[in-house]
Amino acid sequence: MFADELKTLRRLGVRHVLLQILNFVSVLASGLMIWKGLGLITNTESPIVVVLSGSMEPAFYRGDLLFLTNPPNQRYQTGDITVYKIPGADIPIVHRVLETHDLVNKDKDLVAASPLAQKQLLLTKGDNNHIDDIELYQGLEWLERKHIVGKVRGFLPYVGYVTIAMNDFPQLKYALLGGLGLLALVQRE
Amino acid sequence: MGSTCLMVLLGAIALSSFLFTADPKGTIGVSSIQVFPGNARRYANKNQDFTFVNFNLTADLAPLFNWNTKQLFLYVSAEYENKQGVRNEVVIWDRIVRRKEDAQLNIAGRNKYVFRDLSASFKDAPPAHYSLKYNVMPYVGVLTYGEAARTTDAVPFPERQDLS
């Protein structure tokens, strides 16, 4: 089955194989660069996330793709859909802001350099949940800016389901990676 | 090739949303507002004030529905500054509208979510504004926000009524 491919590999020689590996690595590297570049522009550690639970149905279902930004000069408002990560929890949560409280400086002599120099307390809730998220905060009373990964600005349905499928069936992941790798190696041009 | 074509099509649909610039307006009024003491999860075992708001809403949000509108998320938000100067926005009611036919609002509602203050008291808090806001959620593309109604005058918090 692979005899033909092996024959062509032998004919093309080591240089060609190395070149293909280099190509493959450069594709990976540019992917990483695009990801990190997007992260810089949008000011979030993960500009694209996949919805993993049904707590925002019927707006977002499992497998939908969300695009985030986290502008450093904007406060969060009620109605914003935020993605937050509680320290100690490994899965980020996508929920809507229910309450915001912008605190004031106790020290009267200090003037805030920007509206964001002041602390903002947030409470969130999933559209599909009956109660707010205090139980999810693992002992915290409020969310703060430092917990927020970003807010949802764009939406693309279903596409993220590939990653969920790959998590549920790891064989699929290896098959896909192996297939792509083999393809990259034996491609002619 | 097929996927590129699909992506371009989805991109075109997402961009087409920017052509629809409906900005419907309605009215919101507070019909009654009361403050009662009680206690709840947060600040457990500490007495705190709860505000109960009855409000009237009228608005025709049907223009917000176009071919790329999946649903509207509507919410009524109370905005006020408390005695300590903390600026607050608290959502007291929300609703998801999924069909154009349901976008004609004529609602006499009351708060769905508890309405309390960080200081646990609404005593001497300046009056609050109430507004109806919406989030248009597309099938594909950018989420947009808007305000459909706002109370014309700020609504003062009443004295706390003690339960006897």
Side-chain angles (χ1 to χ4, degrees):
Chain A
M1 180 188 167
F2 289 114
D4 277 352
E5 278 82 356
L6 275 177
K7 211 178 279 173
T8 45
L9 263 184
R10 204 162 293 149
R11 187 165 52 80
L12 290 167
V14 182
R15 281 180 78 90
H16 179 78
V17 173
L18 286 179
L19 200 64
Q20 293 292 13
I21 290 174
L22 194 67
N23 268 339
F24 191 60
V25 170
S26 93
V27 165
L28 284 184
S30 49
L32 190 70
M33 272 166 65
I34 290 171
W35 176 253
K36 289 295 176 190
L38 264 181
L40 270 180
I41 294 166
T42 56
N43 191 37
T44 112
E45 57 184 87
S46 51
I48 301 173
V49 296
V50 176
V51 178
L52 295 177
S53 82
S55 62
M56 284 296 281
E57 283 173 23
F60 305 145
Y61 289 87
R62 247 167 85 84
D64 290 347
L65 217 57
L66 306 176
F67 298 86
L68 312 183
T69 67
N70 193 18
N73 55 352
Q74 273 176 35
R75 52 186 290 278
Y76 300 107
Q77 290 174 305
T78 53
D80 283 349
I81 303 167
T82 55
V83 176
Y84 64 87
K85 214 166 164 184
I86 299 291
D90 32 79
I91 296 178
I93 298 174
V94 186
H95 279 177
R96 199 185 288 273
V97 176
L98 192 70
E99 292 184 16
T100 68
H101 305 281
D102 297 36
L103 302 185
V104 280
N105 281 328
K106 287 255 164 49
D107 197 337
K108 288 230 165 52
D109 297 330
L110 292 181
V111 178
S114 84
L116 297 182
Q118 279 148 358
K119 227 176 175 181
Q120 187 179 38
L121 304 180
L122 303 168
L123 179 68
T124 54
K125 176 183 166 292
D127 286 3
N128 199 23
N129 294 350
H130 286 290
I131 53 164
D132 57 45
D133 289 353
I134 298 179
E135 308 292 338
L136 299 177
Y137 294 168
Q138 307 201 351
L140 294 175
E141 291 236 316
W142 302 95
L143 281 188
E144 287 170 42
R145 175 165 276 265
K146 62 184 174 203
H147 302 127
I148 308 268
V149 177
K151 57 181 168 189
V152 178
R153 305 304 297 271
F155 173 79
L156 186 62
Y158 311 127
V159 178
Y161 216 92
V162 184
T163 63
I164 291 183
M166 283 201 284
N167 266 334
D168 292 354
F169 309 99
Q171 302 94 322
L172 193 69
K173 185 160 54 187
Y174 300 130
L176 205 72
L177 276 177
L180 277 178
L182 207 66
L183 209 69
L185 279 180
V186 297
Q187 238 169 14
R188 293 287 166 88
E189 62 278 308
Chain B
M1 204 48 225
S3 62
T4 314
C5 185
L6 187 65
M7 281 298 154
V8 169
L9 188 65
L10 289 177
I13 293 173
L15 285 177
S16 76
S17 291
F18 291 107
L19 299 176
F20 303 99
T21 52
D23 185 21
K25 294 290 175 203
T27 59
I28 182 170
V30 171
S31 50
S32 89
I33 178 166
Q34 289 172 301
V35 178
F36 289 110
N39 51 37
R41 282 185 301 167
R42 209 190 279 279
Y43 332 115
N45 305 321
K46 186 175 158 191
N47 252 25
Q48 53 187 316
D49 288 355
F50 291 84
T51 299
F52 294 86
V53 185
N54 285 60
F55 56 86
N56 295 312
L57 274 183
T58 56
D60 179 8
L61 300 179
L64 292 174
F65 275 87
N66 58 53
W67 67 335
N68 191 22
T69 306
K70 181 178 179 180
Q71 64 167 35
L72 301 180
F73 183 85
L74 311 176
Y75 53 106
V76 171
S77 163
E79 293 150 33
Y80 70 103
E81 201 170 285
N82 73 3
K83 203 176 146 196
Q84 290 76 26
V86 178
R87 287 197 300 115
N88 305 283
E89 272 180 44
V90 180
V91 173
I92 58 171
W93 178 90
D94 61 18
R95 170 177 287 181
I96 293 168
V97 177
R98 306 186 71 188
R99 300 186 310 161
K100 195 173 185 173
E101 298 90 288
D102 300 329
Q104 319 265 0
L105 303 181
N106 195 352
I107 295 167
R110 59 196 176 90
N111 49 327
K112 254 169 93 174
Y113 305 118
V114 287
F115 182 12
R116 11 173 208 186
D117 189 72
L118 279 183
S119 69
S121 165
F122 286 100
K123 195 170 160 49
D124 297 329
H129 270 289
Y130 296 82
S131 61
L132 170 67
K133 294 179 182 165
Y134 57 80
N135 173 205
V136 184
M137 312 191 73
Y139 285 109
V140 56
V142 176
L143 281 72
T144 53
Y145 288 84
E147 185 176 286
R150 190 177 184 79
T151 45
T152 43
D153 299 310
V155 182
F157 290 102
E159 284 289 308
R160 183 174 69 200
Q161 302 177 35
D162 284 310
L163 301 164
S164 49

